[in-house]
Amino acid sequence: MSQTIGQDAAVAALGVDAWGLERLIALGELDAGGKPGSRVVDAEAVKACADARSRRRAAALTELAKIDAPHLGGDR
């Protein structure tokens, strides 16, 4: 049986607020039980989602740096 965590632990691990958690659930990024405000989620699923969000954030920042670097003097 997999370990579950509560909503407060999930939002902390994901770096979102309660609304952000609900958006991730609505978008199908994360599956959760319970009602909004008292969600219960699989701990491994939260870790996988947090890791995926971190990778996407890093990729987006890399792309932004490529776009902005010439304008900010970073391409010398």
Side-chain angles (χ1 to χ4, degrees):
M1 183 173 185
S2 57
Q3 181 181 2
T4 60
I5 59 174
Q7 180 168 323
D8 292 340
V11 298
L14 292 166
V16 298
D17 58 9
W19 183 85
L21 178 64
E22 292 302 316
R23 289 298 304 143
L24 290 171
I25 294 166
L27 293 169
E29 298 279 330
L30 194 60
D31 190 27
K35 295 181 180 181
S38 60
R39 295 288 191 184
V40 177
V41 293
D42 180 72
E44 286 298 317
V46 169
K47 182 179 179 336
C49 186
D51 290 346
R53 287 174 43 80
S54 180
R55 285 190 303 274
R56 286 193 301 259
R57 185 179 302 116
L61 289 174
T62 299
E63 289 301 312
L64 283 173
K66 287 179 188 175
I67 294 168
D68 290 341
H71 306 289
L72 299 175
D75 194 28
R76 297 180 198 186

